[in-house]
Amino acid sequence: MAFVSEENITDLALERWATSHSPRMAELMTTLVRHIHDYAREVELTSDEWVTAIEWLTEVGQISDDKRQEFILASDVVGLSMLVVQLNNRFDDTATPATVLGPFHIDGSPPAPYGFDMSDGIEGTPLFVTGRVIDTEGTPIPGAILDVWQADATGTYEAQIPDIDEARLRAKYAATDDGTYCVRTIAPLGYTIPMDGPVGMLMRNTDISEYRPAHIHFMFDEPGHRKLITHLFQHGTDYLDTDVVFGVKDELIVEFSPHSAGKAPDGTHLDRPFLVAHHDFVLQRAK
């Protein structure tokens, strides 16, 4: 029987976890064990540091609930969430790149026609987002559904507001027969991730910015195409270079062009200035 030593403990642990009933689980767990042991050896992890890490993980679990997932937040700020997105969404260069889903998506948003104002009654600068939904061959996708959600002009999402009983700044827009769409909303604001928990406590010991740049979320799930979760970011907004969740890509930065009061892209007349952004979403065909 092999008793434990500093030299053989990794091999012993690998041998045990290699007995996992699923080959994939065996691969995941043995690789994890190997890297964790290598990390502890490389930094010469102390007992106090190990206890501190365990207590931090415990606090992450304790603060998480059905509206807040601190483990996802922890994954976000170390870049793991975005790395997983990129590993699982290796699209053609012509396709719109994917980004993180984020914690504020809500299922069951109401259907919305071309030009519907999902910001009705909410203060902010009017914003129209227009363009087409096409595939990587340039073919329009008739009736494509754009699941859209965003923060308001104070950086707050619906999920963060108690007692909301109707959809707020979210809708599912249907593109027309030629793939064109028009989303009417208000200009979003950059915002800080929650900093009142263990992730925030950890980040306060660094110079990492806790802010996300202004953006709007989009999701597509069209038959015959790869699912796409992505953002559009406002050109020139703050924090593009320091997005705390590493979600910004050049292809997703768009101009919010100012317009004087007058005819808007949806054909209506606005009596105040508004913004217009244009972007064609390109979906990867399923293989």
Side-chain angles (χ1 to χ4, degrees):
M1 179 177 180
F3 292 101
V4 175
S5 68
E6 181 179 331
E7 289 72 26
N8 71 5
I9 187 170
T10 300
D11 289 338
L12 291 173
L14 290 173
E15 182 179 344
R16 292 182 184 181
W17 281 102
T19 66
S20 299
H21 300 163
S22 159
R24 178 59 172 167
M25 181 179 175
E27 179 184 14
L28 291 171
M29 291 307 301
T30 55
T31 304
L32 178 63
V33 167
R34 186 182 302 110
H35 282 286
I36 287 177
H37 284 222
D38 286 347
Y39 169 79
R41 286 190 173 93
E42 181 178 343
V43 301
E44 295 198 355
L45 191 66
T46 69
S47 296
D48 287 343
E49 290 165 343
W50 178 82
V51 170
T52 298
I54 295 299
E55 291 174 343
W56 184 83
L57 289 170
T58 301
E59 292 174 7
V60 170
Q62 290 170 338
I63 201 173
S64 298
D65 56 27
D66 59 344
K67 289 189 175 181
R68 176 170 183 164
Q69 234 306 348
E70 195 81 357
F71 277 109
I72 291 180
L73 186 63
S75 174
D76 289 345
V77 301
V78 299
L80 179 59
S81 299
M82 193 59 196
L83 175 58
V84 172
V85 166
Q86 295 180 113
L87 290 173
N88 287 271
N89 295 276
R90 290 173 173 147
F91 298 154
D92 293 346
D93 291 341
T94 55
T96 300
T99 60
V100 293
L101 175 66
F104 299 117
H105 177 261
I106 298 176
D107 291 327
S109 290
Y114 185 94
F116 173 78
D117 184 6
M118 73 175 191
S119 66
D120 187 26
I122 302 174
E123 293 186 3
T125 303
L127 168 65
F128 294 84
V129 186
T130 66
R132 293 193 304 159
V133 184
I134 59 177
D135 65 20
T136 48
E137 303 297 324
T139 304
I141 303 176
I145 301 299
L146 300 84
D147 191 348
V148 187
W149 69 102
Q150 67 169 86
D152 63 20
T154 67
T156 305
Y157 284 88
E158 175 188 328
Q160 297 173 299
I161 304 174
D163 304 323
I164 290 291
D165 58 1
E166 59 184 16
R168 186 178 191 272
L169 287 175
R170 61 182 175 93
K172 287 186 176 181
Y173 286 84
T176 62
D177 289 343
D178 63 356
T180 62
Y181 72 88
C182 179
V183 172
R184 180 173 176 179
T185 182
I186 56 172
L189 182 73
Y191 57 85
T192 176
I193 61 170
M195 292 290 287
D196 59 341
V199 171
M201 178 274 294
L202 191 65
M203 288 179 57
R204 287 192 180 92
N205 292 283
T206 75
D207 293 330
I208 300 172
S209 168
E210 68 269 28
Y211 280 89
R212 295 218 65 202
H215 61 275
I216 302 174
H217 296 263
F218 294 83
M219 182 162 61
F220 302 82
D221 195 4
E222 294 297 314
H225 299 81
R226 296 282 300 277
K227 185 174 183 178
L228 173 65
I229 299 169
T230 193
H231 300 9
L232 289 184
F233 297 91
Q234 181 180 5
H235 182 269
T237 193
D238 293 335
Y239 314 114
L240 285 173
D241 295 334
T242 58
D243 181 14
V244 66
V245 306
F246 304 93
V248 179
K249 292 179 177 289
D250 287 339
E251 302 93 324
L252 303 177
I253 301 173
V254 298
E255 292 281 355
F256 286 15
S257 302
H259 290 257
S260 302
K263 187 177 180 180
D266 64 347
T268 61
H269 180 88
L270 267 67
D271 58 2
R272 55 179 174 146
F274 57 91
L275 301 169
V276 176
H278 182 88
H279 184 78
D280 290 339
F281 290 100
V282 183
L283 306 189
Q284 176 75 53
R285 287 184 175 181
K287 296 181 180 179

